[in-house]
Amino acid sequence: MSKSKQYDGVITALITPFTETGAIDWPAYERLIDRQLEAGVTGLLTVGTTGEASTLTDEEYEQVVKKTVERAKGKAVILAGSGTNVTTKTVERTRRIEDWGVDCALIVTPYYNKPSQTGLINHYEAIADAVSIDIMLYSVPGRTGIEIAPQTAAALCHSNKNIVAIKEAGGRAERVSDLRARCGEDFVIHCGDDGLALAFYALGASGLTSVLANYDPEICVACYNAWVAGDYQTALRLHDTLRPFAEALFIENSPAPVKCVLGMQNSVLEYVRGPLAPVSPDARKKLMEIFTAYTQNRKLVLS
């Protein structure tokens, strides 16, 4: 298996569960990790957007990363978000997660600054030169205000051997074709949107970085495995089942909706940290309607 193939499949973008007092709920986090491993996910992404990394203290950030490595190293690929909107800070943070045993750094485009594509190249090359672990680029213009152009991704992956992948979360499946054409077959493209995963697979993406998998890793893994096995009808049935629910998990700002659903499962408490807020009553009602239909349909397709 080539080095890049280790990222093929479903990577769960882990939430960070909190207690009533606002502390990290470590038993809940350990249960969450174990559930993912039992379901057969390829990897675990910690301290990313879904993990509310921007609200963690430096000490908490370190604890969460080290706990993930301790619990799952060797059982799944471990990724950690280390991007900031300052190049020197991102270099420092990425060096630290390398020392802590992470396999791959997920590095979001600098937010707020909105650098040019040349600025992005300089930013990512400085990071790649400073570490030896793999780097997954993260293009999510809805949150950062800037997109990684396909030609920028190509320049980076061709000149830096440890820039091996991109998490594409711009909501446009056609980007997969552009990225593959410019970056080549060995460059890993991960879908960053559960509802678009099957379309991404069909265009040549090799995996999904999933929010839904926090609640239901089994269906995400089953859909991916069905596609890889050539069982397209099963993959389509699974996709049709999960898509409305996956979209509902963004009815309000993530990860509040997925924490709400996990709370109903008694897996975690629903708490999020400010400036995020719990799911509103109207959104909760709609989410519950979709969730109820999902659980019924899921039994049929996974029975």
Side-chain angles (χ1 to χ4, degrees):
M1 182 175 69
S2 69
K3 188 178 183 182
S4 63
K5 290 295 182 183
Q6 68 182 318
Y7 302 108
D8 289 359
V10 176
I11 294 173
T12 305
L14 295 168
I15 64 161
T16 304
F18 301 118
T19 67
E20 292 181 2
T21 64
I24 295 173
D25 188 340
W26 293 113
Y29 190 63
E30 291 175 352
R31 291 194 301 270
L32 179 66
I33 289 174
D34 292 347
R35 168 82 187 282
Q36 304 304 313
L37 297 176
E38 290 168 5
V41 299
T42 290
L44 300 173
L45 165 63
T46 189
V47 292
T49 305
T50 308
E52 298 176 74
S54 61
T55 71
L56 301 178
T57 66
D58 289 344
E59 181 181 7
E60 289 173 329
Y61 177 93
E62 179 176 351
Q63 290 172 339
V64 172
V65 174
K66 287 184 174 179
K67 173 65 71 174
T68 311
V69 171
E70 173 193 332
R71 196 84 179 178
K73 183 77 170 182
K75 302 173 184 176
V77 179
I78 309 298
L79 301 89
S82 60
T84 75
N85 66 336
V86 180
T87 302
T88 53
K89 288 182 180 180
T90 305
V91 167
E92 179 184 355
R93 180 174 281 190
T94 307
R95 282 174 170 161
R96 289 204 301 269
I97 66 169
E98 179 176 31
D99 290 341
W100 299 337
V102 167
D103 299 303
C104 180
L106 178 73
I107 301 178
V108 71
T109 53
Y111 38 87
Y112 187 75
N113 311 53
K114 297 182 69 174
S116 66
Q117 295 298 308
T118 299
L120 287 180
I121 290 173
N122 295 339
H123 177 74
Y124 282 111
E125 285 189 337
I127 302 159
D129 288 344
V131 298
S132 59
I133 58 171
D134 290 342
I135 291 171
M136 179 181 285
L137 310 175
Y138 183 14
S139 183
V140 56
R143 286 188 179 265
T144 66
I146 186 168
E147 186 173 66
I148 300 174
Q151 56 267 35
T152 298
L156 288 168
C157 72
H158 292 321
S159 61
N160 301 272
K161 65 180 181 180
N162 55 336
I163 296 180
V164 301
I166 187 169
K167 178 184 175 184
E168 176 54 45
R172 295 191 292 123
E174 66 270 20
R175 286 257 300 173
V176 177
S177 296
D178 293 337
L179 287 164
R180 288 181 65 244
R182 292 179 179 271
C183 298
E185 296 293 327
D186 291 334
F187 188 66
V188 177
I189 302 170
H190 254 243
C191 179
D193 183 335
D194 286 281
L196 288 176
L198 193 59
F200 269 60
Y201 299 157
L203 290 171
S206 55
L208 165 69
T209 301
S210 172
V211 173
L212 172 60
N214 281 280
Y215 176 78
D216 195 346
E218 290 85 3
I219 198 168
C220 298
V221 171
C223 185
Y224 174 79
N225 288 343
W227 174 264
V228 172
D231 187 355
Y232 305 133
Q233 288 301 316
T234 296
L236 185 58
R237 285 198 302 272
L238 292 166
H239 164 79
D240 288 343
T241 299
L242 69 83
R243 185 186 61 81
F245 183 44
E247 291 179 353
L249 294 180
F250 288 84
I251 195 168
E252 289 185 347
N253 283 355
S254 181
V258 73
K259 281 190 168 183
C260 176
V261 172
L262 285 165
M264 293 188 300
Q265 193 186 41
N266 295 318
S267 297
V268 304
L269 298 176
E270 294 186 30
Y271 299 109
V272 291
R273 283 186 175 173
L276 294 181
V279 175
S280 67
D282 287 345
R284 180 185 296 268
K285 180 180 178 181
K286 182 64 175 178
L287 179 60
M288 292 308 98
E289 292 173 356
I290 296 171
F291 172 72
T292 299
Y294 171 74
T295 56
Q296 295 171 347
N297 294 331
R298 182 191 186 278
K299 291 178 182 178
L300 298 175
V301 297
L302 287 180
S303 60

